[in-house]
Amino acid sequence: MNPKLVEFALRKQRLQIRAEQQREDMLRHLQGIEPVLDVADRARDGLAWLRAHAPLVTGVVVFVLVSRPRLAWRLAKRAWLGWVLFRRTRGGAGGSSAAVLAMPLLRGLGALLRSRLNRARRARAAAGSAG
């Protein structure tokens, strides 16, 4: 066999082994930031859902504004507080810490909204069955 071809084959094999080692090193280093990447993925998925269901979200917002203005005001204040918290922490320690700090606030906001909407549905169902 041609010595140049043997040399190229050996070099190719060494490069493949080195690339595999680099991939393993990269995966080992990325394990530390995997939770942050998971939060970012969930946020991206949530935004994609909001964009895909914009008319539904708008309808729910209008419904809450009309039927429960006090609730809408409280939700708006909490959302503003979350935004301010996000902006302050993002400027200091980076976006990842802001996402970690804002997530409990956003989860609480979502739980509050769900409980209020469920309560309103139950009240409408009870009023409909009584009438």
Side-chain angles (χ1 to χ4, degrees), residues 4-80:
K4 282 216 178 237
L5 289 177
V6 172
E7 183 182 335
F8 282 137
L10 288 173
R11 184 165 188 244
K12 178 181 176 183
Q13 186 178 25
R14 282 192 300 266
L15 287 172
Q16 288 173 334
I17 291 170
R18 187 171 157 206
E20 179 62 31
Q21 290 171 345
Q22 288 174 346
R23 276 193 291 274
E24 289 173 2
D25 288 344
M26 187 183 308
L27 286 174
R28 198 171 34 255
H29 291 301
L30 288 176
Q31 283 178 345
I33 63 168
E34 189 174 1
V36 174
L37 296 175
D38 289 341
V39 169
D41 286 341
R42 278 187 269 140
R44 186 192 63 219
D45 292 343
L47 287 174
W49 185 90
L50 286 174
R51 285 187 188 119
H53 297 90
L56 176 67
V57 174
T58 304
V60 168
V61 168
V62 168
F63 174 76
V64 171
L65 282 171
V66 170
S67 66
R68 305 278 184 169
R70 191 173 291 165
L71 170 65
W73 179 247
R74 275 192 306 225
L75 290 175
K77 286 193 301 188
R78 289 180 186 187
W80 179 253

